[in-house]
């Protein structure tokens, strides 16, 4: 697997990935755009403790297993946590205490050839971000004008 | 099941973005996009500089400087 994988953390009042979201992800997969690798449902109590939630009825009982291995350490491992250099993040940063979230691992299959071509051209990633909605509106206004 | 979140390295869609304190400074961005081989000539490359006397001659021929200015400037540079 060489395509970039995005972690999408979405807060829900009732933690679930709705049928509508799954239908859209299925459409994108068929179009060769993204592939949903796994979804993990988590809750976090007011003390900040995370707990995984059972997959929705009818879903694959293994749903979330891969995400747990990637994003967390299951209860009980010994030893000190590994040190990670550079800018880091974790679910601790993303999910507020007293809430629940669906965490999706999305493989951006569309980006694989782009990343490969950048690498072949000797390009190095310097920065990347998303435009804020207000700036997207400005962009839309500019493109409509021209 | 309890879950202890793991610290993961942050990355972008095009790969690991070399952050410095969360952001890349302009100087670092410039340095990263201009490899050492593309920098200005070093001392070792100095002999490739234009000959100042020939350059003065060109300025005289093209009317940029007068003969007197040429002579004054010519006297300042090594023979």
């Amino acid at each position: 697997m060489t395509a970039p994988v995005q972690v999408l953390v979405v807060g829900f009042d009732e933690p679930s990935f709705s049928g509508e979201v799954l239908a859209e992800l299925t459409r994108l997969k068929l179009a060769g755009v993204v592939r949903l690798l796994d979804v993990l449902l988590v809750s976090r109590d007011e003390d900040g403790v995370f707990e995984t939630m059972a997959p929705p009825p009818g879903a694959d009982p293994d749903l979330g297993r891969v995400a747990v291995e990637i994003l967390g350490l299951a209860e009980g491992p010994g030893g000190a946590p590994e040190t990670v250099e550079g800018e880091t993040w974790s679910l601790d940063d993303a999910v507020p205490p007293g809430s629940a979230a669906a965490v999706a691992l999305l493989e951006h299959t569309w980006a694989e050839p782009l990343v490969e071509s950048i690498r072949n051209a000797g390009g190095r990633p310097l920065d990347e971000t998303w435009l804020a909605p207000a700036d997207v509106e400005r962009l839309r206004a500019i493109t409509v004008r021209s | 099941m309890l879950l202890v979140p793991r610290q993961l390295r942050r990355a972008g869609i095009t790969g690991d973005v070399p952050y410095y304190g969360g952001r890349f400074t302009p100087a670092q961005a410039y340095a990263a996009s201009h490899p050492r081989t593309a920098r200005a000539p070093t001392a070792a490359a100095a002999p490739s500089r234009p000959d100042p006397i020939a350059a003065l001659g060109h300025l005289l021929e093209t009317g940029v400087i007068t003969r007197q200015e040429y002579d004054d400037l010519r006297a300042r540079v090594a023979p």
Side-chain angles (χ1 to χ4, degrees), chain A residues 4 49-52 68-73 75 82 84-85 87-90 92 110 115 118 124-128, chain B residues 1-19 21-24 29 32-35:
Chain A
V49 176
F50 280 91
E51 193 162 353
T52 62
V68 164
E69 287 196 36
I70 293 293
L71 302 173
L73 302 169
E75 184 187 21
E82 61 185 339
V84 181
E85 293 186 353
E87 183 163 324
T88 63
W89 75 280
S90 78
D92 269 330
W110 65 269
V115 172
I118 290 172
R124 292 175 299 282
L126 298 179
D127 199 353
E128 66 177 59
Chain B
M1 178 177 73
L2 291 178
L3 179 76
V4 179
R6 181 197 301 262
Q7 287 291 321
L8 295 167
R9 186 170 180 180
R10 191 180 288 279
I13 204 164
T14 51
D16 288 338
V17 179
Y19 289 101
R23 302 300 304 163
F24 221 42
S33 60
H34 294 75

Side-chain angles (χ1 to χ4, degrees), chain A residues 89-119:
Chain A
W89 75 280
S90 78
L91 288 179
D92 269 330
D93 308 320
V95 182
S99 68
V103 187
L105 297 180
L106 294 172
E107 182 187 18
H108 285 254
T109 49
W110 65 269
E112 186 172 6
L114 173 64
V115 172
E116 185 68 21
S117 63
I118 290 172
R119 191 174 297 131

